[in-house]
Amino acid sequence: MADTERSTILDAIYVLNLLVDDLVVGTMVFENYQSKFTRGEFSQPGIVAVQNMCVPHLILGLNKLCEFWKEFHRLVPDELRPEMKAVISKLERRGIKEYRNTVVAHVMDTKRGRTRTQTEVIAMLNRISDDDPSGFLLWLNNPNDNAYPKTVVSIVYALRDHLRELHGVTANEIFQR
């Protein structure tokens, strides 16, 4: 295998590791504080602040997953391709990139020449979550049932593990480059 091909495989696995971490941490932090809020152990301003931290974090991670597909789709094996394509299609259809570009990563929506209103932001989040924020978070990462292909995390794990096994990549090879 050529050095550039090996380097591309290592890059892909590294990105998949980061994506798993982003999705797991983003959903778990939000769930942890949401549970505290529900039990009355955390304030309203606090949960709003946690949401304002976790939602952009998750959106950036999901946008990176879409970018991963564009850059590395040729590495995705046939047996994992349908699930991966379905996730990417769903994310694109629900407006992940638009939310990232007009809310998370920029102050201004350049097409509108202004910032997005709170009502517009909520409508975009409802579209992204298919009007089911809790279900959306569980679709991303369900710590009680991350069986493949039920969650995005399980699909990313499966792809990462498949690439590692197929190409004989060790964890040390990824982290010590």
Side-chain angles (χ1 to χ4, degrees), residues 8-116:
T8 299
I9 290 163
L10 295 176
D11 288 345
I13 294 169
Y14 178 74
V15 170
L16 292 168
N17 279 335
L18 294 175
L19 289 170
V20 166
D21 291 346
D22 284 348
L23 296 175
V24 169
V25 170
T27 55
M28 296 305 295
V29 167
F30 187 77
E31 174 57 33
N32 180 31
Y33 281 96
Q34 183 64 42
S35 294
K36 289 179 180 189
F37 175 72
T38 301
R39 292 189 309 265
E41 300 169 4
F42 198 61
S43 69
Q44 177 73 32
I47 195 63
V48 169
V50 168
Q51 180 178 343
N52 288 339
M53 176 184 71
C54 291
V55 170
H57 178 80
L58 289 168
I59 295 298
L60 289 172
L62 293 170
N63 195 72
K64 286 178 185 178
L65 182 59
C66 294
E67 288 182 22
F68 173 89
W69 176 255
K70 288 179 182 153
E71 296 297 324
F72 298 105
H73 64 89
R74 66 179 177 76
L75 298 177
V76 177
D78 291 342
E79 61 268 25
L80 300 176
R81 193 170 285 273
E83 288 79 10
M84 191 68 177
K85 283 175 77 171
V87 166
I88 299 305
S89 292
K90 187 178 283 191
L91 294 173
E92 288 174 347
R93 208 173 41 252
R94 290 185 180 186
I96 291 292
K97 187 175 182 179
E98 179 186 7
Y99 190 89
R100 180 237 177 240
N101 289 345
T102 63
V103 178
V104 173
H106 302 285
V107 173
M108 297 294 287
D109 179 342
T110 55
K111 289 181 184 174
R112 288 179 166 76
R114 60 174 175 78
T115 61
R116 290 282 183 139

Side-chain angles (χ1 to χ4, degrees), residues 113-174:
R114 60 174 175 78
T115 61
R116 290 282 183 139
T117 66
Q118 184 67 22
T119 302
E120 290 170 334
V121 170
I122 291 169
M124 293 174 82
L125 286 172
N126 287 336
R127 178 179 166 207
I128 289 168
S129 72
D130 200 25
D131 292 316
D132 183 10
S134 296
F136 180 72
L137 292 174
L138 287 174
W139 174 66
L140 297 179
N141 174 43
N142 184 344
N144 297 319
D145 189 12
N146 260 333
Y148 179 83
K150 292 182 179 181
T151 66
V152 175
V153 165
S154 72
I155 293 168
V156 174
Y157 266 134
L159 177 56
R160 184 211 50 200
D161 292 348
H162 183 87
L163 290 174
R164 283 181 62 186
E165 184 177 317
L166 181 66
H167 299 285
V169 175
T170 66
N172 283 340
E173 191 174 6
I174 297 295

